[in-house]
Amino acid sequence: MTAILGISAFYHDSAAALVINGEIIAAAQEERFTRKKHDPGYPEHAIDYVISEGGLTLEDIDYVAFYDKPFLKFERLLETYVACAPRGLKSFRMAMPIWLREKLFLKDMLIKELKKRHKKFDPETLLFSEHHFGHAASAFYPSPFENAVVLTLDGVGEWATTTVAIGKGHALDIKKEIHFPHSLGLLYSAFTYYTGFKVNSGEYKVMGLAPYGEPKYKDLILEHLIDLKKDGSFRLDQSYFNYATGLTMTNQKFSDLFGEPVRNAETDDLTQFYMDIAASVQAVTEEVALQMTRALAKEYGISNLCLAGGVALNCVANGKILKDGAFDNIWIQPAAGDAGGALGAALAVWHKELDKPRIIHTKDAMRGSYLGPAYAQSTIEEELKACGAVFDALSEGEMIEQTAQALAEENAIGWFQGRMEFGPRSLGGRSILADPRSEAMQKTLNLKVKYRESFRPFAPSVLREDISEWFDLDCDSPYMLLVSGVHESKRRTMSEDEKALFGIEKLNVKRSDIPAITHVDYSARIQTVHEETNPLYHALISAFKNKTNCPVLVNTSFNVRGEPIVCTPTDAFRCFMGTGLDILVVGNCLLRKDNQNAALKEDYKNKYELD
């Protein structure tokens, strides 16, 4: 037996993963345990979890793989500051002490942490993967493809921001790279900053905001900010940006180009201008992705594409790539961001360093991404009692029946079942569920449950066997990483007055038979639910379908804005008592808000720092 522990840490979204003999056993982000959103620290709790899930101790681990090469990253930092000197002195003076005190000696820090648990830990078993190779490994090795083009797009690793790799069997080789500071991820992050959202967490808000606007500034971006070639390669004009050496993403020249200042999220409204800006950068991102994938399909003649890196979480662009048809098949790593680097680093050791073959699964090797902790019914009941919860312990059949009925009656439900998901999406393990037929549900969930911006769209979970009847898609989308349109037969024709609405005014228009998950452009971010990977969730949606003739549920992550997704039954109960959720279902325990002790209510609206 060969056990490999993968670690990503010290930037954002720290995580750990365990691979035994090439099989993915467990993976989790540190934030879920510490309750600190995007926790960048050493993933002590995640490591403890994945090792225990495998029935091992740290002494049983043969290799530890880290997702980055810190010396290469330090080299990039130094060379960038030297090239841009004297600009960036303030940023340089802030960054250097941290690097000299911590990050340059990251290997020593890791060894020290590992020796706390295993005094005889052998430093020779600590290996380092290049950042983008780890991403590529996380995408290709678990995929269902014998061979594939592997495209990684993110902010930046050590030097690379974009890489193209070719995977065949268990061989994986990087063929092309685009280097810092030219980065599609950082271009998108610059616009995230400009529209007033947090970099590294607010990019998905820009994507959700885009349909409310028109891409009026697309040509301006392509003319001034990004030099896009026919093959999809690009360069960014750094005179508009400040991220290479400064303390902000953009500069005054950037603001002057668009004629408005950086939006202050605390004081400035989301005007039509910023919606148009969001639509414009989204359109540019899609154009870059399409030109790149078309060129790669033509160059390599391979019909399969794998995607990873933070930009691969842009499910609107993913949907456009799929629809474009340059590649017949697409598979996207569900933990496409830095957390997935922990898994990629571990898989890279098994297949690349140890030269071990792959076992290719018909679907994929990610187990539906249900790779986090699960809780026995007895443990659930003990935790709920300790919280002071009032609950009914039901049979599984009764639990499914009562939950489906409550959904049909338009209750908002916290759903906590089985293993926690790995990656940023809730997939029916730690989810908030609701009836998509409700016209009021999107606003209710955003404002009373999630405590977040009203424009934010919600995603549908749909039975895989029913997808083509309800959406313009007929393929697996188990990880909620593809956007497609609601089927024409389910759409409602808008009046001329409704069509004339602008911006947020569009929000209240009923567009389809399932308005709670239909975005303003008739799109939806789709999760297909499969009986093989999540039989309980499949059974719930099936029961809801039997009652309503609708095989779709609203599915959003079980948390409030700024909070990590819940991990334990206690987390679930606290979130339940701090929000407008009506019902909580944990294992076979069903809790109704009206039955709970009012003294246990919490102020979740102000508990977490807003993201």
Side-chain angles (χ1 to χ4, degrees), residues 35-187:
R35 313 308 299 152
K36 179 182 176 184
K37 189 84 168 175
H38 303 301
D39 193 337
Y42 177 75
E44 178 182 356
H45 302 85
I47 289 171
D48 286 347
Y49 157 67
V50 298
I51 290 175
S52 65
E53 184 68 36
L56 307 176
T57 65
L58 196 55
E59 284 87 341
D60 301 313
I61 299 297
D62 297 286
Y63 297 95
V64 177
F66 191 72
Y67 84 128
D68 233 347
K69 290 195 171 180
F71 274 103
L72 282 179
K73 190 172 279 190
F74 185 63
E75 174 188 86
R76 185 249 298 168
L77 201 70
L78 282 180
E79 287 194 24
T80 301
Y81 282 125
V82 169
C84 297
R87 197 159 53 93
L89 180 60
K90 186 176 181 182
S91 173
F92 179 79
R93 290 174 65 181
M94 290 177 68
M96 279 307 103
I98 297 170
W99 272 93
L100 294 174
R101 185 176 66 247
E102 297 174 10
K103 296 193 176 183
L104 263 186
F105 302 101
L106 190 144
K107 182 176 181 179
D108 292 339
M109 190 192 313
L110 286 170
I111 292 169
K112 183 179 177 182
E113 289 292 342
L114 291 163
K115 282 193 170 182
K116 285 181 183 176
R117 302 295 175 92
H118 176 22
K119 291 180 180 178
K120 295 182 179 180
F121 176 76
D122 181 1
E124 295 298 313
T125 62
L126 176 60
L127 306 174
F128 292 81
S129 168
E130 282 200 26
H131 185 95
H132 269 241
F133 190 87
H135 274 315
S138 78
F140 176 62
Y141 290 133
S143 79
F145 307 139
E146 171 65 28
N147 61 345
V149 175
V150 187
L151 177 60
T152 298
L153 294 157
D154 68 359
V156 61
E158 295 88 3
W159 276 104
T161 65
T162 305
T163 56
V164 176
I166 299 298
K168 290 185 179 181
H170 71 283
L172 181 63
D173 298 294
I174 290 178
K175 302 294 186 183
K176 299 180 181 185
E177 295 184 347
I178 295 174
H179 283 180
F180 182 86
H182 309 291
S183 165
L184 187 60
L186 290 174
L187 175 70

Side-chain angles (χ1 to χ4, degrees), residues 129-295:
S129 168
E130 282 200 26
H131 185 95
H132 269 241
F133 190 87
H135 274 315
S138 78
F140 176 62
Y141 290 133
S143 79
F145 307 139
E146 171 65 28
N147 61 345
V149 175
V150 187
L151 177 60
T152 298
L153 294 157
D154 68 359
V156 61
E158 295 88 3
W159 276 104
T161 65
T162 305
T163 56
V164 176
I166 299 298
K168 290 185 179 181
H170 71 283
L172 181 63
D173 298 294
I174 290 178
K175 302 294 186 183
K176 299 180 181 185
E177 295 184 347
I178 295 174
H179 283 180
F180 182 86
H182 309 291
S183 165
L184 187 60
L186 290 174
L187 175 70
Y188 208 91
S189 291
F191 281 89
T192 301
Y193 168 82
Y194 185 61
T195 49
F197 301 120
K198 277 191 177 180
V199 172
N200 288 329
S201 70
E203 283 76 7
Y204 60 96
K205 297 183 187 182
V206 176
M207 183 179 69
L209 190 63
Y212 292 96
E214 299 292 331
K216 295 178 179 179
Y217 304 98
K218 178 184 175 183
D219 291 342
L220 198 64
I221 295 170
L222 289 169
E223 183 181 344
H224 292 276
L225 299 186
I226 182 168
D227 179 16
L228 177 61
K229 304 301 184 186
K230 285 186 177 181
D231 66 353
S233 61
F234 57 86
R235 292 181 68 81
L236 302 186
D237 185 341
Q238 288 301 300
S239 68
Y240 291 92
F241 301 96
N242 206 24
Y243 59 75
T245 56
L247 302 176
T248 59
M249 292 299 296
T250 64
N251 57 25
Q252 189 59 45
K253 186 177 179 181
F254 186 103
S255 296
D256 291 344
L257 178 66
F258 297 105
E260 293 284 347
V262 174
R263 175 177 165 264
N264 184 322
E266 303 300 320
T267 59
D268 300 341
D269 291 335
L270 263 175
T271 62
Q272 189 63 47
F273 167 76
Y274 292 106
M275 296 176 196
D276 293 339
I277 284 287
S280 301
V281 70
Q282 179 63 33
V284 168
T285 300
E286 290 165 14
E287 184 158 331
V288 174
L290 286 171
Q291 289 194 201
M292 194 175 288
T293 50
R294 287 167 185 165

Side-chain angles (χ1 to χ4, degrees), residues 322-527:
L322 178 66
K323 190 173 182 180
D324 188 58
F327 288 92
D328 294 339
N329 307 297
I330 298 176
W331 191 84
I332 308 153
Q333 165 54 239
D338 276 11
L343 177 60
L347 291 170
V349 171
W350 177 253
H351 295 296
K352 189 78 171 178
E353 298 300 318
L354 302 180
D355 199 28
K356 300 292 187 180
R358 292 166 66 211
I359 297 173
I360 300 173
H361 296 253
T362 307
K363 296 287 185 185
D364 61 49
M366 288 294 295
R367 298 171 180 248
S369 211
Y370 306 111
L371 296 167
Y375 294 84
Q377 180 66 19
S378 58
T379 304
I380 290 168
E381 293 184 22
E382 286 171 14
E383 283 203 25
L384 291 177
K385 286 175 184 174
C387 291
V390 178
F391 60 87
D392 292 320
L394 309 171
S395 69
E396 186 175 291
E398 289 174 321
M399 180 272 290
I400 293 287
E401 168 63 25
Q402 290 193 29
T403 305
Q405 184 61 40
L407 286 164
E409 293 169 359
E410 296 194 15
N411 288 285
I413 295 180
W415 175 256
F416 183 110
Q417 302 291 343
R419 295 183 71 175
M420 182 178 70
E421 303 89 340
F422 181 51
R425 308 279 188 244
S426 285
L427 302 170
R430 306 286 185 274
S431 292
I432 291 172
L433 307 178
D435 186 345
R437 303 169 303 155
S438 167
E439 293 181 50
M441 192 56 73
Q442 180 185 2
K443 186 172 281 189
T444 298
L445 287 177
N446 270 328
L447 300 181
K448 295 184 179 180
V449 176
K450 300 285 283 187
Y451 302 133
R452 68 185 197 180
E453 303 92 342
S454 62
F455 70 84
R456 300 269 291 277
F458 287 102
S461 292
V462 58
L463 298 178
R464 172 63 181 93
E465 52 268 32
D466 292 319
I467 185 174
S468 60
E469 184 183 338
W470 289 79
F471 300 97
D472 297 333
L473 191 70
D474 194 12
C475 66
D476 293 353
S477 180
Y479 304 125
M480 211 182 277
L481 287 170
L482 293 171
V483 162
S484 188
V486 173
H487 197 280
E488 193 72 39
S489 65
K490 308 300 179 187
R491 297 185 185 187
R492 172 186 168 274
T493 303
M494 292 169 64
S495 69
E496 291 304 313
D497 288 344
E498 289 170 338
K499 290 177 182 176
L501 294 173
F502 280 94
I504 295 297
E505 292 175 335
K506 298 177 181 180
L507 183 64
N508 297 321
V509 177
K510 181 179 178 181
R511 286 178 165 70
S512 76
D513 294 346
I514 41 177
I517 59 83
T518 305
H519 208 7
V520 293
D521 58 355
Y522 290 104
S523 70
R525 175 165 50 97
I526 299 163
Q527 179 203 2

Side-chain angles (χ1 to χ4, degrees), residues 526-574:
I526 299 163
Q527 179 203 2
T528 53
V529 179
H530 304 250
E531 190 172 11
E532 312 93 283
T533 51
N534 197 333
L536 204 61
Y537 193 33
H538 189 277
L540 175 66
I541 301 176
S542 297
F544 180 76
K545 178 186 176 183
N546 289 339
K547 293 179 182 295
T548 63
N549 291 319
C550 178
V552 182
L553 288 178
V554 177
N555 175 13
T556 187
S557 55
F558 196 160
N559 61 341
V560 299
R561 181 182 171 193
E563 179 195 17
I565 293 170
V566 300
C567 178
T568 68
T570 301
D571 297 336
F573 180 73
R574 286 175 176 167

